[in-house]
Each structure stands twice: as C-alpha cells, then as structure tokens.
Amino acid sequence: VQLQASGGGLVQAGGSLRLSCAASVWSFGNSVMGWFRQAPGKEREFVAAISWSDSRLFYADSVKGRFTISRDNAKNTLYLQMNSLKPEDTAVYYCAADNRKRTTYSDYEYSRRWIYDYWGQGTLVTVSS
C-alpha cells in the first residue's frame, strides 16, 4: 500500500493550492481518507476527512470554509482544495487511509490518528505573508 501526496509549494497569503494523494490501495473506495498537517516544532494535526461512502465530510475548525476534501474513486485519488491560504497553514501535509473496509466511525474518531493505518510521505505547503 502506497500513498503519494503532491501539489505542495510556495504561495502568497490569500492564494490557493490543490493537493493530491494517489493511492495504490486496492480498497480505496472502501477506505476512510484523511489529511493531516505538521508545522515545524508542532504536533501533527487533523485537517479533513472523508468517509468511505463520501456522504460525510469532516474539517478542523481552523480550515472550515476554506478547504474542501474530495475523492475520485475511479482514479484512486484524494484531493484537498485549499483556498484563502494563511501563513499559519504552512506545514507538511500528509494523506492517510484506514484499512478496514466500509467502516463507520464516531464523528470524533475521524480526526484521530489511530484510525489511519497508511500514511503518505507528505508534501510541503509554504504560505508567505
């Protein structure tokens, strides 16, 4: 199982970026997918998650209304559209997936690292002021 994140880069505050995560997960369409980020000197934190059925989306309060998570099961790809970027969004962004087919978690669990079994290598997003 491999998750390959891409799309990071340098952008000015107020700008946009779209991150992609290509997954070689045979059960991609049955997996919960998430984005986390880690800024220098800080803990890795939850950004967004999407349930296996696509019917439920979850966002950290800090990105709600600015970021949108989506997936294309035909392409085995997860996306994170990031708009109105702020300097505090600067971090390495990681995609993650669980390995339990068609599992529904509590709302709280979607933001917890423990439900995710596979992690990508990360892509760096730098937002300049």
Side-chain angles (χ1 to χ4, degrees):
V1 174
Q2 285 189 324
L3 299 176
Q4 182 75 34
S6 62
L10 174 63
V11 63
Q12 288 189 329
S16 298
L17 280 175
R18 188 175 81 155
L19 305 185
S20 298
C21 175
S24 64
V25 178
W26 68 275
S27 61
F28 179 85
N30 296 322
S31 297
V32 171
M33 303 294 298
W35 287 99
F36 287 73
R37 67 186 181 186
Q38 187 166 16
K42 294 190 175 180
E43 295 283 322
R44 190 172 299 189
E45 65 175 6
F46 169 74
V47 175
I50 183 168
S51 65
W52 68 268
S53 65
D54 297 352
S55 63
R56 305 186 70 195
L57 307 178
F58 303 88
Y59 296 97
D61 288 342
S62 58
V63 307
K64 211 170 285 185
R66 300 187 298 122
F67 290 12
T68 302
I69 188 171
S70 62
R71 65 197 295 166
D72 185 336
N73 290 341
K75 296 182 178 179
N76 274 19
T77 303
L78 176 73
Y79 302 101
L80 185 69
Q81 178 66 44
M82 306 187 295
N83 299 327
S84 303
L85 283 160
K86 305 175 181 180
E88 51 264 44
D89 294 318
T90 295
V92 176
Y93 284 71
Y94 298 90
C95 55
D98 81 335
N99 69 350
R100 302 163 196 84
K101 286 199 281 188
R102 300 192 175 189
T103 298
T104 299
Y105 301 95
S106 67
D107 288 6
Y108 172 75
E109 287 177 303
Y110 283 94
S111 65
R112 302 297 96 189
R113 292 173 59 180
W114 68 63
I115 73 165
Y116 299 95
D117 303 287
Y118 308 119
W119 294 82
Q121 87 291 355
T123 185
L124 176 63
V125 172
T126 304
V127 184
S128 63
S129 56

